[in-house]
Structure formats: C-alpha cells, structure tokens
Amino acid sequence: MNDWPEAWSDENRGDRYGRGSASAQPEGARAMRQVRRPASGAYGGGPGQSAPRQSAPPYGGGVPQQPAYGNAGYADDTAVDGYDSGYNTGQVYGGGGPAGPGGRARGERPAPNWRRRIKWTAITVVTVLVVTTIGTYFWADSKLNREVDLSKVIDRPDAGEGTNYLIVGSDSRAGMSAEEKKKLHTGSAEGKRTDSMMILHTGSNGDTLISLPRDSDVEIPTFVGSESGKTYKGTGRHTKLNAAYAEDGPELLVRTVEYNTGLHIDHYVEIGFAGFANIVDAVGGVEITIPKGGMKDTKSGADFEAGKQTLNGEEALAFVRTRYALKASDLDRTKNQQKFLAALANQVATPSTVLNPFKLYPTMSAGLDTLIVDKDMGLFDLADMFWAMKSVNSGDGKSMNMPISGSTNGNLVWDKAKVKTLVDELKNDEKVTVSGN
C-alpha cells in the first residue's frame, strides 16, 4: 500500500530519502521569515509582480546561507510596512536605547530615597519601643505579690488629698539558706517582724517621708482577724508598734497606724531582708556617707569607716539594721534608713539604670520578686512611690521622724499635738511645717 501523496511513488522519491543510500544528505534548513513580503520586487520581481520562488540549492553544496532576520535587504534599515524587529539595534525590549527609562544608563543603581528610609526606620524604632514597653509592663505587673487585703481593715479614717504609702521593712528570712542568714547576720528566728516602718506622703506641695520607730507606744484597737475573720475587741491595751504586725500581720498594722494617727493609708509595701540586699546588688551598690567616727556593730555586721563609700547588698543591710552602735538607738537608725532608702531610690531612677536593660530588668526582678503589696497597688503607684523617695533624697521633699514627747516603759510616746498638726497638713496636702526628732 502506498502511503505517499497522490501521484507519488517510491520511485519519485529518488535516492534522497529513506533508502539508506550512501549519498543521502539532510534537507537544507528552511529560513523562517519574520518580516512581511514587500509589495514590489525586493526579491527580484518587477513592479506588480511577485518575487520568483527560489529553488533550493543542490544538496551537495551544503547548508544554504540563512537570510538575516530583521531588515535585511533594506538599505536604510527601516522596517517593512512599519515593522521593526529590534534585533539589529541592540536595544532591550521596550526601547529606550542604551539608557534605560528616565535616561539612566543600564546597570546604574537608583539614588537611595533617604526620606523614605528615615521614615520607615523611625516607624520601626517606635514600634519596637511600644511593644517592649507594653511587654515589660505586663511582665512586671504579673510579678507583683498582691497579698495584702486592705478591705479587711475596719473603721478607716476618710481619705485626704495626695497618696499615703505605708512602707515596711520586715525581718523575713523566707527563702534564705543557712549560709545566707549567716552572711547577712540575720539570725534564724522563725516568722517575721517589722524592722522598719515609714509613711511616705506624695502630693502637690512636696513629698514627705516619716519614720515610725518600731518601739513607738500605740494602742491596739478593735480589729477583724485577717485569717479568722473574727472580731477582736479593743481593750485599751498599749504595746510597741511592731507588735501589731507580729500579732496579725499587715492588716492589723495598717489598722493600728490609722487608729493612732487618724491618717488614711492608701497603699501598703513590704520588702524582706533578702529582697533588699538583692536590689542593692542589682543596681551596682549605693553610695552613702558614713558619719564621723565610723560605724561598728557586731550584731548587724556593720564595720564601716567614716566617709563616702559604695555599699553592696550585704553592707547595706548591715547599715540600715544597726542600732546598738548609735547614740539615739532606734531614732538614729530610722534616720539612717530614710537616708539609705532615698539614696537607693535615687540610684534606681538614674538614666544609667533605667536606660540600661542589663541593670533595669535585674533590678526590677529583684524588687518585684520580694515586694509584698496590697491588692489595689499598681505599677504606676509603685513608680510614684520611688520618684517621691528620690525627690526626698534630692532635697525637694522632707524626711523626719514621728514627733516624740518622751517614753514610758521603754516605749517612745508620740507628741499628740504635733502629730495632729502633721496629720492635718498631710490630709490637706499642705506643706509640712512640723519637725520630728
């Protein structure tokens, strides 16, 4: 069966295809035109005549020369009928010649848009700061130990202007190893007692820090037990102020201070021995001036020469606990405590601490891990407290002891007239005119 086109036979094919002839050669490549055929004789035809069909060259002559793509045959290199292949111009698709769009040479990088870069850099920095600040806030807020419930305190005086913080340094040894207790000269007594108590008033007429000697003579009023919920009637019993804390904790201490002063306490803040020492170490120590004659107390571990020096955590704890080496004992100790706490707050609030995350976060962690506050205490309240203590240290505020008129049975008796004037000034957020011992 012949499968070739009609009128073709195997003989018509000759020796060029498929018979394995030794003289068989490949068919020459056909040129594919990419331009339209001109209307007149560009290829040899006369006017009005079509160009004659070119015959294939003899196969023995090799592959015929291929026609050039583009405008071959045109002297002026213009496209036939307006067509331009672009192959002979060296141009990149889209035109533009050797220079790219806008006249910029190919390969030349555009000038940086500095305004745009600065804008996005500023946006990035602000975003990072906002995210970091928010994250830090929630991290710090979650670490506050809100254990004290002031709603359990009964018969409270009316709140005045400004804010009053009751700041307590306890002798709690919770979490301390035997080696740490020995190193810090804390002893091994069970439970915890108040080692220092202060009222810090913040307001628009200056901040005031008032120390309450722990040996102050006070009356224990009627109160509701913080754990039992039972009401304990007051009997007019007088005792030392720190005994109120030992008897029923922070709630009874707040109740006793309010009853004996008539001043409303807004917030409660407590820190133990270990936490105090850790904060001092976290900020790199606190600079303090030891008075003439130096200070030495075997019970607290204090052994300081006179003059300005930087105390680490262990030394700072010994400094604020020293009482037996001081002439006025507890009254002098409260003054040292005020001085040191104000210096510590000043150190914490310095740019070298606040702007240095390697100091700020350890300091915050050391303090927040050991601080005990009331349930309504927030980070902004805590910041307000520290800034007020810094203000006292810088001389913009006032520090003093509760006015004392004498003593009875070893307890320090407050000067009732001066205390009343002091409390009235604090309630009205007026400048304090009363002086303490």
Side-chain angles (χ1 to χ4, degrees):
M1 179 177 182
N2 187 351
D3 56 359
W4 287 90
E6 185 178 0
W8 283 78
S9 66
D10 288 342
E11 285 75 18
N12 292 120
R13 290 179 294 170
D15 293 330
R16 289 179 295 170
Y17 304 102
R19 287 187 174 180
S21 170
S23 62
Q25 296 180 9
E27 183 180 5
R30 289 198 176 101
M32 301 296 294
R33 309 295 294 181
Q34 290 196 357
V35 296
R36 285 187 258 177
R37 187 183 304 278
S40 59
Y43 292 94
Q49 299 179 358
S50 61
R53 181 181 180 122
Q54 291 180 334
S55 59
Y59 286 99
V63 178
Q65 181 178 4
Q66 300 297 303
Y69 293 102
N71 299 333
Y74 295 91
D76 57 356
D77 282 340
T78 56
V80 178
D81 290 341
Y83 177 83
D84 182 2
S85 69
Y87 283 99
N88 294 337
T89 65
Q91 297 176 1
V92 179
Y93 284 104
R104 186 176 66 248
R106 286 183 297 160
E108 181 181 345
R109 300 181 64 179
N113 189 332
W114 289 109
R115 180 176 296 179
R116 182 182 179 86
R117 289 188 179 185
I118 292 173
K119 172 185 174 182
W120 283 107
T121 299
I123 292 175
T124 301
V125 170
V126 170
T127 301
V128 170
L129 288 176
V130 170
V131 171
T132 301
T133 300
I134 294 175
T136 299
Y137 175 86
F138 284 103
W139 166 77
D141 188 72
S142 67
K143 292 177 75 66
L144 277 178
N145 300 310
R146 298 181 173 93
E147 299 178 7
V148 180
D149 188 357
L150 296 183
S151 67
K152 295 179 180 179
V153 180
I154 62 173
D155 300 332
R156 307 191 67 185
D158 294 335
E161 298 181 25
T163 304
N164 299 311
Y165 300 88
L166 180 59
I167 304 171
V168 174
S170 76
D171 64 359
S172 172
R173 298 155 178 84
M176 296 176 64
S177 65
E179 183 179 350
E180 289 174 326
K181 293 176 183 178
K182 182 178 179 181
K183 178 182 179 181
L184 298 177
H185 300 271
T186 64
S188 300
E190 296 298 327
K192 60 181 182 179
R193 286 152 293 279
T194 54
D195 205 61
S196 61
M197 291 162 284
M198 303 177 189
I199 294 175
L200 174 65
H201 173 83
T202 64
S204 57
N205 283 297
D207 304 312
T208 305
L209 184 62
I210 308 162
S211 286
L212 308 176
R214 68 179 197 171
D215 291 340
S216 297
D217 185 80
V218 294
E219 180 181 339
I220 302 296
T222 299
F223 69 96
V224 175
S226 59
E227 297 294 335
S228 66
K230 180 180 177 180
T231 299
Y232 297 88
K233 291 292 185 179
T235 61
R237 173 171 57 99
H238 279 245
T239 186
K240 294 181 179 181
L241 181 58
N242 66 342
Y245 181 93
E247 188 172 332
D248 197 53
E251 288 84 358
L252 179 54
L253 178 61
V254 171
R255 168 73 174 129
T256 302
V257 169
E258 290 187 340
Y259 179 82
N260 286 268
T261 63
L263 186 67
H264 181 90
I265 299 299
D266 298 290
H267 292 294
Y268 177 91
V269 181
E270 177 186 327
I271 188 168
F273 283 160
F276 178 81
N278 289 340
I279 293 175
V280 175
D281 284 334
V283 298
V286 175
E287 188 176 79
I288 204 76
T289 300
I290 304 299
K292 186 178 180 179
M295 182 185 296
K296 189 170 185 177
D297 185 353
T298 56
K299 291 189 176 182
S300 69
D303 188 6
F304 308 118
E305 296 181 356
K308 185 178 292 186
Q309 51 197 285
T310 299
L311 307 184
N312 61 25
E314 177 184 349
E315 295 166 337
L317 188 58
F319 176 78
V320 299
R321 295 185 63 225
T322 295
R323 62 185 300 193
Y324 296 105
L326 305 176
K327 184 177 180 180
S329 188
D330 200 42
L331 290 177
D332 281 347
R333 181 172 76 155
T334 56
K335 293 178 182 178
N336 284 340
Q337 290 171 347
Q338 289 178 349
K339 181 167 59 176
F340 189 87
L341 288 178
L344 173 60
N346 185 69
Q347 178 67 25
V348 171
T350 57
S352 63
T353 298
V354 175
L355 301 180
N356 183 352
F358 297 103
K359 290 182 68 175
L360 176 62
Y361 284 96
T363 300
M364 292 177 65
S365 182
L368 296 172
D369 282 341
T370 54
L371 281 179
I372 296 175
V373 300
D374 64 90
K375 293 185 180 297
D376 295 326
M377 185 82 164
L379 289 178
F380 290 109
D381 299 311
L382 198 60
D384 176 62
M385 184 189 78
F386 272 100
W387 281 108
M389 294 183 72
K390 179 182 178 182
S391 172
V392 170
N393 180 70
S394 63
D396 294 332
K398 181 174 183 176
S399 61
M400 58 182 288
N401 278 328
M402 186 65 81
I404 304 296
S405 61
S407 63
T408 177
N409 300 321
N411 297 344
L412 298 174
V413 179
W414 294 349
D415 187 319
K416 292 184 179 180
K418 288 186 176 182
V419 169
K420 185 179 185 306
T421 301
L422 172 63
V423 170
D424 287 342
E425 291 174 341
L426 295 178
K427 279 186 173 182
N428 297 318
D429 196 23
E430 299 172 349
K431 187 174 182 63
V432 173
T433 60
V434 178
S435 59
N437 298 75

